[in-house]
Every structure is written in C-alpha cells, then in structure tokens.
Amino acid sequence: MDQNTGTHSQFKNISIQVSLVAALLAALWCVTPYVLAPAPATPPPAMPRLLSVDFEVFGRVQGVFFRKYTQQAARRLGVVGWCRNTPRDTVEGQAQAAAPVLAEMKRWLREVGSPQSKIERAEFRNEREVAELDYQGFTVKH
C-alpha cells in the first residue's frame, strides 16, 4: 500500500508540474507576438529646409574688415557661401544654410557686422529652397 501511495503521489506531482508547464507555455504563446513584434516605425526627424539667399549690405562696410567678420560669423553659425566687395562700395554675397540658421545670419548682416562698420541696410534677393548646399564653407572673394 505504501508503494502504491508513493507512486500515486509521484504521478500526481508530475501531473501538477505538467499542468503548470502547459499553462506557462499557453501564457507565453499569447504574449510572444507582443514581445517579439517590432516596435512601431517612427518617422525619421524632419530634415530642416535648406535655403539660399543673395545679399548686399550698404553703408560703411568696406575697409572695416566687414568681409572677414562676415566669414567668421558664417563659419560660427554653419553657413556656407561667399562674399566680396563691389564697385558700389557695398559687400555682396550668397549664403546657404538651414532656414533658422540663415535667419540668424541675415540678422547678423542687417544689425551686427564688423565692429567698425556702420550698416545702413541689407537687401536680400532670390531666396529659395535648395536640395543641397552648393558650397563646402564660406569664402571671401577678391
């Protein structure tokens, strides 16, 4: 009798263990698709619009290191393009950058300039969106 009781008890324990394993597998089967499913695709961050603008700055802007300071400001901001003196005693050029950066460069050309310059006005023409930047850096043309 003790032998039957022991065997019966062992079968009962195995039966309980099998039931627990089956329940665990069933639970995993239900959860697995959610655990293994890839995360929902998130769109890549929006690329900033790239803009190009031609500029001309009027006032006391020649002989006061305006082009040098323009180049320094452009490089600091991450603007590419060029600038040069004109026969009209102005400084002209082209600037390209992401829209918010270009807005800051335009502000600099209108309001800041070199320490000895006296800006009367800055004109911006031909502002347009570009697919890619046309220049590697910002240069001073002679």
Side-chain angles (χ1 to χ4, degrees):
M1 184 102 160
D2 290 335
Q3 203 173 28
N4 283 342
T5 305
T7 303
H8 183 322
S9 177
Q10 288 174 343
F11 282 124
K12 190 173 184 180
N13 285 340
I14 290 173
S15 176
I16 290 171
Q17 290 174 352
V18 168
S19 295
L20 288 173
V21 168
L24 181 60
L25 288 174
L28 285 174
W29 182 261
C30 293
V31 173
T32 300
Y34 301 105
V35 173
L36 298 179
T42 56
M47 294 298 293
R49 290 181 30 223
L50 297 176
L51 298 178
S52 179
V53 68
D54 300 330
F55 65 86
E56 188 167 9
V57 184
F58 297 81
R60 185 171 174 226
V61 292
Q62 288 191 9
V64 291
F65 302 100
F66 191 87
R67 292 173 300 157
K68 175 185 171 187
Y69 278 85
T70 299
Q71 182 182 46
Q72 289 175 355
R75 288 180 175 171
R76 179 176 37 81
L77 291 169
V79 174
V80 299
W82 57 271
C83 67
R84 67 179 172 206
N85 285 340
T86 71
R88 298 176 302 282
D89 293 328
T90 64
V91 172
E92 69 179 1
Q94 186 175 82
Q96 297 181 341
V101 174
L102 192 61
E104 179 58 26
M105 185 68 193
K106 288 168 69 174
R107 186 195 69 74
W108 188 92
L109 290 166
R110 266 191 318 269
E111 300 172 12
V112 180
S114 67
Q116 295 177 330
S117 66
K118 183 173 180 344
I119 300 167
E120 290 176 8
R121 73 180 189 281
E123 294 180 359
F124 302 97
R125 294 180 292 281
N126 198 24
E127 185 167 319
R128 65 204 176 280
E129 192 166 341
V130 293
E132 59 186 38
L133 301 174
D134 295 325
Y135 307 96
Q136 298 273 334
F138 196 94
T139 58
V140 173
K141 293 185 177 186
H142 297 281

